[in-house]
Amino acid sequence: MHTVKHRPEDDQNLHFAYADRHMTGGVPKFDIPDEGMDARVAYRIIHDEMQLDGNPALNLASFVTTWMEPEARMLLQETADKNIVDQDEYPQTEEIHQRVVSMMGRMFNAPKDKDPVGTCTIGSSEAIMLGLLAHKWSWKKKMQAAGKPTDKPNVVFSADVHTCWEKFARYFDVEMRVVPLKEDQFYMTADQLPEYVDENTCAVGCVVGTTFTGQLDDVKGVNEYLLGLKKDKGWDIPIHVDGASGGFVAPFFYPEVEWDFRLEQVRSINTSNHKFGLVFPGCGTVIFRDRSDLPEELVFNITYLGGSMPNYSLNFSRASSMVLLQYYNFLRLGKEGYRKIMTNIMENAQYLEKKLLELGHFELLNESKYLPTVTVRLKDRKLPKEVVYMLSDLLRQYGWIVPAYPLPPKADTVHVLRMVVKENFTRDMAEKFAQDIELCWKKLKDEAQEFSTMLANQSGKGKIC
Ligand SMILES: Cc1ncc(COP(=O)(O)O)c(C=O)c1O
């Protein structure tokens, strides 16, 4: 019989990842290791460590896409090595980028006689900064031409905005004028504007789908107010619409609502393609109603990558994958596919809303009419605010990730739980979530009861410190 002798070099071939010394010796954390390791070991270490994260499918906190089709994943892998900024080397990637921008301009109803332009960004934060920066620049040129001072620009928006608006104001040295919320109104209306807007206002911001409650600012009302100012005082103040979340829901679920380029003063819109554009993070877009809304001084001609390439961005290099994935979704889904998906997620959000209300502990802040988000507060106002935070913690035990937070100033006595329904959140998951939150509620109640009994028994025996 033939016997196979053990040879030392066989150890290389029989290298099991979990037999590697790094599995017991600890992995490098602070300094780059002097020597490398086997690819399979490096992969397993990182892959396994990632299991400690939350499960994206159960993450109801985030608006960001957590699922794409296998073909999209293939494209992601295939295109991760192409830098989107190298337009000269990768002209076809740039061609597709332009197609995506064009499709989005039309999706936002850019007028036929205009020439919408735009760019894909890393997300809505960059897109908002680019939009507002363009308006600041245009305002400055206008004021200079009129011989007026340019040292006090301001931007007006409601307290319902995402922090990136405040970031813009601070980073780009613009005064921010924040329209406060009210205890019973969590979005901005035009009647609130007169005390905030003046000749130094570079732009008014409106949100279509607020991060906090999913409601819409009254863009149409704001447009009418600004048209009035243009007529009466000659101030041509643009609106930048933050459609980070609503930009892909509105065109397919409530196309009749006018909030986009159909309104004259809406000069720029941003959206997060990585939210309801259904693309993995990070991709956003800013679209200007017309080429004239983007001052040419802000577009840099890059020559050192070969050729001459126009560039308007804060970030420079990044993989082209996400823009190509957005194009994939446009081709794959078409308007019909987007309409069906948006209808499904909105219906599932409304179903979740109904199931939660049936439990009897919660009150809705708004109906899920504009965004697939369900935002609730405690029905019993006498209960301590901490209850929503405890529920959020307990839900983690069942895998669910649900944020609890106070609303912005003037409405910050309201503490909420907010669930974002994404396309992978099925009706069965809604049922399961409602069951789990009820279990958490019972647990909280039982523990509170147990705790007060303990405290009662404790009195006389010395206090718990
Ligand atoms: C209304 C709104 N604007 C802006 C942002 C920032 O978007 P991004 O994360 O794509 O930079 C968000 C993020 O949730 C948002 O909800």
Side-chain angles (χ1 to χ4, degrees):
M1 209 169 102
H2 184 70
T3 40
V4 181
K5 284 225 181 86
H6 178 83
R7 290 167 300 166
E9 61 268 30
D10 284 346
D11 286 343
Q12 283 294 77
N13 303 329
L14 291 174
H15 193 105
F16 301 116
Y18 290 117
D20 189 89
R21 68 192 159 84
H22 289 95
M23 295 295 173
T24 51
V27 294
K29 293 192 185 74
F30 306 111
D31 269 341
I32 300 172
D34 293 331
E35 286 168 13
M37 61 178 79
D38 187 275
R40 287 164 302 177
V41 178
Y43 171 80
R44 290 271 26 126
I45 286 174
I46 300 172
H47 172 88
D48 290 353
E49 205 165 321
M50 289 302 96
Q51 308 304 313
L52 296 169
D53 276 344
N55 178 351
L58 303 184
N59 183 356
L60 307 189
S62 172
F63 285 88
V64 170
T65 301
T66 51
W67 178 85
M68 287 194 80
E69 292 180 316
E71 289 77 6
R73 285 182 179 268
M74 268 157 59
L75 271 176
L76 174 71
Q77 268 191 334
E78 286 166 21
T79 55
D81 57 357
K82 286 191 183 174
N83 187 358
I84 193 151
V85 92
D86 294 350
Q87 295 170 22
D88 208 51
E89 288 81 355
Y90 308 128
Q92 209 52 30
T93 300
E94 177 54 18
E95 160 69 24
I96 289 183
H97 177 207
Q98 290 310 323
R99 287 181 205 167
V100 168
V101 167
S102 162
M103 286 178 182
M104 294 185 60
R106 282 172 204 213
M107 182 172 85
F108 295 147
N109 292 301
K112 295 261 176 321
D113 60 338
K114 297 288 175 194
D115 181 15
V117 293
T119 184
C120 289
T121 59
I122 201 79
S124 274
S125 302
E126 186 191 0
I128 288 168
M129 298 206 196
L130 292 176
L132 295 179
L133 195 57
H135 297 314
K136 180 188 175 192
W137 200 270
S138 299
W139 166 85
K140 195 170 156 193
K141 289 208 309 189
K142 216 165 38 187
M143 295 298 271
Q144 277 168 341
K148 294 186 175 170
T150 58
D151 57 336
K152 286 199 170 65
N154 69 67
V155 58
V156 175
F157 51 78
S158 160
D160 63 11
V161 295
H162 186 269
T163 34
C164 60
W165 283 78
E166 293 171 36
K167 268 193 195 168
F168 165 78
R170 206 171 300 169
Y171 293 176
F172 293 93
D173 203 16
V174 174
E175 180 198 347
M176 62 178 182
R177 296 191 175 169
V178 183
V179 181
L181 299 186
K182 300 178 186 166
E183 274 204 19
D184 56 352
Q185 182 191 304
F186 314 123
Y187 57 91
M188 186 174 74
T189 47
D191 58 302
Q192 296 176 282
L193 286 181
E195 62 177 295
Y196 296 94
V197 172
D198 61 23
E199 199 178 8
N200 289 326
T201 302
C202 325
V204 174
C206 288
V207 186
V208 167
T210 75
T211 319
F212 303 97
T213 63
Q215 289 163 301
L216 310 190
D217 286 336
D218 177 17
V219 197
K220 199 166 181 190
V222 172
N223 179 65
E224 273 156 30
Y225 170 69
L226 294 178
L227 282 176
L229 280 185
K230 187 153 75 171
K231 191 158 158 265
D232 298 343
K233 303 200 176 198
W235 302 346
D236 184 7
I237 302 176
I239 299 175
H240 175 94
V241 177
D242 178 356
S245 300
F248 269 91
V249 182
F252 303 107
F253 194 68
Y254 43 94
E256 69 290 351
V257 176
E258 291 180 28
W259 60 274
D260 53 18
F261 293 130
R262 281 169 287 184
L263 305 176
E264 190 175 322
Q265 291 309 105
V266 175
R267 299 291 167 74
S268 53
I269 299 175
N270 71 275
T271 192
S272 295
N273 306 69
H274 56 217
K275 291 180 179 140
F276 297 106
L278 307 176
V279 170
F280 285 138
C283 189
T285 309
V286 59
I287 307 279
F288 294 91
R289 178 192 188 82
D290 187 61
R291 190 169 291 276
S292 60
D293 292 305
L294 173 59
E296 56 196 30
E297 297 88 335
L298 294 182
V299 182
F300 284 77
N301 266 318
I302 310 292
T303 50
Y304 42 81
L305 294 172
S308 173
M309 297 171 299
N311 178 272
Y312 184 43
S313 65
L314 297 181
N315 291 296
F316 198 67
S317 302
R318 71 197 154 95
S320 56
S321 317
M322 296 312 158
V323 174
L324 300 177
L325 291 198
Q326 182 59 75
Y327 190 53
Y328 169 83
N329 273 352
F330 283 150
L331 298 187
R332 163 80 175 119
L333 299 171
K335 290 182 185 141
E336 192 203 2
Y338 269 104
R339 210 172 291 127
K340 283 184 174 160
I341 290 173
M342 295 309 145
T343 305
N344 274 359
I345 54 179
M346 291 299 287
E347 284 180 0
N348 281 343
Q350 285 156 7
Y351 185 75
L352 175 65
E353 184 180 292
K354 178 169 146 294
K355 295 301 290 178
L356 290 182
L357 290 186
E358 279 170 13
L359 299 177
H361 318 305
F362 304 109
E363 193 178 282
L364 272 186
L365 250 73
N366 66 298
E367 288 170 23
S368 308
K369 269 199 325 206
Y370 296 116
L371 270 196
T373 56
V374 182
T375 312
V376 294
R377 67 194 293 181
L378 296 173
K379 196 168 174 181
D380 182 350
R381 304 280 166 87
K382 292 198 287 299
L383 283 173
K385 65 177 193 301
E386 283 73 17
V387 170
V388 288
Y389 298 92
M390 289 169 161
L391 282 173
S392 167
D393 279 350
L394 283 174
L395 280 165
R396 288 297 283 251
Q397 295 178 6
Y398 295 85
W400 300 107
I401 303 172
V402 175
Y405 53 84
L407 292 186
K410 298 268 163 90
D412 50 7
T413 51
V414 184
H415 295 259
V416 300
L417 285 167
R418 188 207 56 196
M419 284 64 65
V420 180
V421 170
K422 295 192 279 287
E423 64 176 322
N424 66 304
F425 188 83
T426 59
R427 204 152 276 224
D428 287 333
M429 285 168 86
E431 303 260 3
K432 180 78 176 87
F433 180 79
Q435 284 164 14
D436 288 348
I437 203 167
E438 180 63 6
L439 288 175
C440 295
W441 184 275
K442 287 212 173 87
K443 201 166 175 188
L444 206 57
K445 222 171 115 194
D446 292 348
E447 280 174 5
Q449 185 62 46
E450 245 173 70
F451 191 58
S452 49
T453 316
M454 254 167 58
L455 282 183
N457 293 342
Q458 193 73 21
S459 60
K461 287 192 207 161
K463 298 234 156 46
I464 298 177
C465 43

